[in-house]
Amino acid sequence: MRLKFKKENLPILLISLAFSLVLFFNVNSSNVNRFFSSDDTYEEVIQNVPVNLVYDDDEYFVHGYTSTVTVKLTSANRIQLNKEVDADTRDFTIEADLESYRSGTHEVRLKTKNLPTAVTATIDPTTISATIERRQTKEFSITPSLNANSTGTDLTVDQLTIDPGKVEITSGRDTMKEIDRVVASVDGSQLTNDGDKVEAQVQALNVNGEVLPIESNPQTVSVTYDMAQITKSVDLYPIEEGTRPDGIDGYNIQLTRSTANITGAESSVENVTRIGVPINIDGLDHDTTKMVDIPTDGFSVSPKNVSVQITINRNTESSDNTEENAGSSSSVQNEDPNQQQPESSDSGNQTGTETSQSQTVQSSN
């Protein structure tokens, strides 16, 4: 049996369909919500988020505020959340708007800026205290300041030289009145025995030595330092270096002076009592006098060199051979050319033999 559709029944059908849909979504609303959204949410806590101050920095100087805060981010979109957590990719910032405030100390509410709609943020703390002063700039001379407790050694500094010697200090008018001195604070742990230069932070101090809030141009200065030095006398002694030639029994080495003065940092010279002067005897087979440098190690020495007299001690066997050769040579040189050849030969041999024996006995004695 076929049902015939009548146009006059169309409004009734549409109304029935609408009521059916309303009833369906009302009964299954929780399922529908789960279909279109997720129950999973993600949270991340970010430490040390910078606070940006908004104010007229040509007119005012602001100090005494907390420069970073903690921010908790929440989102159902994990990708978006990770983007805001990363400092290199995040869009949001934390701001303290001071444009409506004037000189004085104020409690300012923090707010987020450029935070994506899919992410919510909770700031801790929600407010910060800030002191606003009229801006002022002056030039100050710098004095060096060494934190002796930070050296960790027995180093003693003799002199500190600063470059440049003056800096421009910017601060609030009230704070500027409190400045007693401007110093270059030297970290003693950076100092060495050799003396050199280090970069030091510029600081402004009040009469109690407390650090005041300032801006310095430049922020650091170069500090050249010299270590305190002492001078003392030490003994000198010779040290043979090298290989003796054959036939040399030894050397008698005499320094023309027995002491020298050394100058340096206390830690470099305090344990030095004598210095060995190296004498090179490689191939040395004759008496000689020469100048030799006095070695140094972390200190200077005066004089820088010393004269050395070297006398050779020859061994006995070498001396005997030398004298026998000298005797034979002498006998030949004393031949009489007027004598006949045979007689000359016999006489010469006899004389040479006697001379050689005589020299041998003397050497033995």
Side-chain angles (χ1 to χ4, degrees):
M1 179 178 177
R2 295 181 61 185
L3 295 176
K4 293 183 179 181
F5 177 75
K6 296 181 179 180
K7 291 182 180 181
E8 58 270 17
N9 294 332
L10 181 59
I12 298 174
L13 292 174
L14 292 175
I15 293 173
S16 299
L17 178 61
F19 277 107
S20 299
L21 291 174
V22 170
L23 182 62
F24 172 80
F25 282 110
N26 185 54
V27 173
N28 299 281
S29 59
S30 59
N31 294 330
V32 173
N33 288 335
R34 280 196 299 268
F35 178 79
F36 287 105
S37 64
S38 173
D39 287 338
D40 294 332
T41 57
Y42 305 95
E43 291 184 355
E44 291 287 349
V45 177
I46 314 173
Q47 306 287 343
N48 301 319
V49 179
V51 175
N52 297 328
L53 302 183
V54 181
Y55 67 101
D56 184 358
D57 56 2
D58 291 329
E59 185 72 20
Y60 297 99
F61 181 84
V62 180
H63 62 90
Y65 62 92
T66 301
S67 60
T68 62
V69 293
T70 299
V71 179
K72 183 175 73 172
L73 298 180
T74 305
S75 178
N77 188 327
R78 186 62 183 177
I79 296 176
Q80 185 68 58
L81 183 65
N82 290 341
K83 179 176 179 292
E84 296 304 317
V85 169
D86 191 339
D88 295 329
T89 59
R90 74 174 57 139
D91 293 323
F92 86 93
T93 57
I94 303 298
E95 285 190 352
D97 190 351
L98 306 178
E99 289 188 321
S100 60
Y101 297 91
R102 293 298 176 259
S103 297
T105 300
H106 307 277
E107 196 74 17
V108 184
R109 179 166 294 278
L110 301 177
K111 61 181 181 180
T112 59
K113 185 178 180 180
N114 298 327
L115 185 68
T117 56
V119 181
T120 58
T122 303
I123 307 172
D124 183 26
T126 58
T127 63
I128 61 170
S129 177
T131 299
I132 305 174
E133 296 183 52
R134 290 286 181 178
R135 193 177 186 87
Q136 189 174 28
T137 299
K138 286 186 178 181
E139 187 176 70
F140 287 84
S141 296
I142 311 175
T143 57
S145 174
L146 175 63
N147 183 359
N149 295 330
S150 65
T151 59
T153 66
D154 296 329
L155 301 181
T156 304
V157 178
D158 183 40
Q159 184 176 2
L160 294 172
T161 305
I162 300 174
D163 183 34
K166 294 183 177 181
V167 294
E168 285 188 346
I169 299 297
T170 298
S171 187
R173 289 181 181 177
D174 293 337
T175 301
M176 193 73 73
K177 297 175 184 178
E178 297 184 44
I179 297 179
D180 179 64
R181 62 191 183 277
V182 176
V183 302
S185 181
V186 178
D187 182 0
S189 63
Q190 298 180 11
L191 306 185
T192 65
N193 266 325
D194 299 332
D196 199 353
K197 62 175 60 177
V198 294
E199 291 297 313
Q201 187 77 28
V202 176
Q203 294 179 328
L205 308 179
N206 62 17
V207 292
N208 297 321
E210 299 169 335
V211 178
L212 298 173
I214 62 162
E215 293 175 1
S216 174
N217 183 26
Q219 294 181 348
T220 62
V221 293
S222 178
V223 180
T224 303
Y225 64 95
D226 296 321
M227 305 309 298
Q229 296 185 331
I230 61 175
T231 298
K232 72 176 188 178
S233 178
V234 297
D235 295 331
L236 301 178
Y237 66 94
I239 300 176
E240 282 190 22
E241 289 188 351
T243 304
R244 299 174 183 172
D246 293 339
I248 302 300
D249 204 23
Y251 301 91
N252 180 21
I253 301 176
Q254 296 290 331
L255 304 180
T256 56
R257 62 180 302 138
S258 60
T259 63
N261 291 326
I262 61 173
T263 302
E266 183 177 358
S267 57
S268 298
V269 303
E270 62 181 350
N271 295 324
V272 181
T273 58
R274 56 203 300 255
I275 299 177
V277 181
I279 312 299
N280 186 5
I281 49 86
D282 272 337
L284 184 61
D285 58 1
H286 60 280
D287 298 347
T288 187
T289 299
K290 59 181 179 179
M291 298 297 293
V292 179
D293 291 338
I294 301 174
T296 62
D297 183 14
F299 50 79
S300 61
V301 62
S302 178
K304 294 183 178 180
N305 47 48
V306 61
S307 178
V308 182
Q309 296 176 350
I310 306 174
T311 304
I312 296 177
N313 298 328
R314 299 183 182 276
N315 59 40
T316 304
E317 181 180 355
S318 174
S319 177
D320 290 346
N321 292 336
T322 302
E323 291 177 355
E324 289 176 359
N325 292 336
S328 299
S329 175
S330 177
S331 66
V332 172
Q333 293 174 355
N334 290 331
E335 288 179 349
D336 186 356
N338 294 326
Q339 293 180 351
Q340 295 181 356
Q341 184 67 22
E343 295 178 356
S344 174
S345 175
D346 293 340
S347 176
N349 291 338
Q350 183 177 3
T351 303
T353 301
E354 292 174 355
T355 302
S356 177
Q357 291 173 349
S358 174
Q359 290 176 345
T360 301
V361 172
Q362 291 175 1
S363 298
S364 300
N365 294 334

